[in-house]
Amino acid sequence: VVGKKGHRITAADMGQFAAYGCSELRVYRRLKAVIFSTGDEVIEAGRMRQAGQIFDSNRPILAGLLQQEDIQIIDGGIIADEKEALVAGYQSGLAGADIILCSGGASDGVEDHSQYALREIGAELLFWRLAMKPGRPMAAAHKAGKMIFCLPGNPVAAFVCFKLLVAPAIDALSGRTPRQPLVVKIKSGFQHKKQAGRAEYLRAVIQTDSTGQQQIALHGRKGAGVISSVTGADGLVEIPMDAAGVAPGDVLNFIPFQEQAL
């Protein structure tokens, strides 16, 4: 067997198929995804920022992540905090794409309209909120075989949710057998307290201790809005849901980022 259904073709596979004498293959078509951000305070990078405004970093992050998955991207821009505008954005996305990725508006605030908009378009809600940090205010729904992901507004939370939840769903929709994250067990080089009942995914790097052994060290400042905690990080360290904290020497699951791997 040279190749099986559900396998994503790599550079090595291309050589193997060619060596076998195969010049053409039947594959799944590339998926299309529309991405947009929500919020009256969000503006495009490059514009003059006024008091109370922030530059939109989530769409560039999501675009980069989708490019790594070889997904065709439709830029839906920034949508205001209005129910009708969000409904129109969902409807437009469903008409032209296989996946909708929107960030912001997934909480329960006065200006968070995702739940209303999903009901309005007749989408079936799969889940709302997660027992994880960062990433609690996330929702997913589907309609007519198409997926809608409502990601948190904080950029680090959106990044983590994409890696852990959206990427495997993209695999399934693409015809690929969903990947299982590569998990490496490494001892902790830090101390951390958390609330039991939810998992935490902290940005981390791998360092060498005084004995020459590898250990996990936290990277950057904490907080779901601190993008610099992701840049330069080697991956995520998982703090289990039932744990109330971490002590140096505890063995933890470390999930390396694709960007930092070979």
Side-chain angles (χ1 to χ4, degrees), residues 162-244:
F162 184 98
K163 287 285 191 179
L164 297 179
L165 295 154
V166 178
I170 286 176
D171 283 347
L173 293 171
S174 299
R176 177 182 182 179
T177 302
R179 289 161 287 180
Q180 295 296 319
L182 173 63
V183 175
V184 183
K185 293 189 177 297
I186 307 178
K187 71 176 183 178
S188 165
F190 63 92
Q191 187 165 346
H192 176 73
K193 293 183 179 181
K194 65 176 280 292
Q195 176 184 342
R198 66 179 180 184
E200 287 192 12
Y201 294 88
L202 306 176
R203 284 69 68 200
V205 294
I206 302 301
Q207 296 180 342
T208 303
D209 63 16
S210 58
T211 66
Q213 299 296 313
Q214 287 187 327
Q215 64 179 10
I216 305 170
L218 298 184
H219 175 73
R221 293 185 294 115
K222 297 178 183 178
V226 185
I227 304 177
S228 59
S229 68
V230 176
T231 59
D234 294 328
L236 300 173
V237 57
E238 180 183 44
I239 315 299
M241 181 177 294
D242 295 334

Side-chain angles (χ1 to χ4, degrees), residues 16 59 85:
Q16 181 67 79
R59 272 168 47 242

Side-chain angles (χ1 to χ4, degrees), residues 79-113:
I79 296 179
D81 281 325
E82 299 174 359
K83 297 176 184 178
E84 294 74 16
L86 191 55
V87 169
Y90 284 162
Q91 290 174 332
S92 175
L94 288 172
D98 306 291
I99 304 168
I100 296 176
L101 286 172
C102 65
S103 62
S107 296
D108 291 318
V110 175
E111 296 301 330
D112 296 324
H113 303 303

Side-chain angles (χ1 to χ4, degrees), residues 22-40:
C22 182
S23 62
E24 291 185 354
L25 294 169
R26 292 182 62 85
V27 297
Y28 281 77
R29 68 169 177 83
R30 293 172 64 198
L31 294 176
K32 293 181 180 179
V34 60
I35 55 175
F36 56 81
S37 298
T38 65
D40 294 334

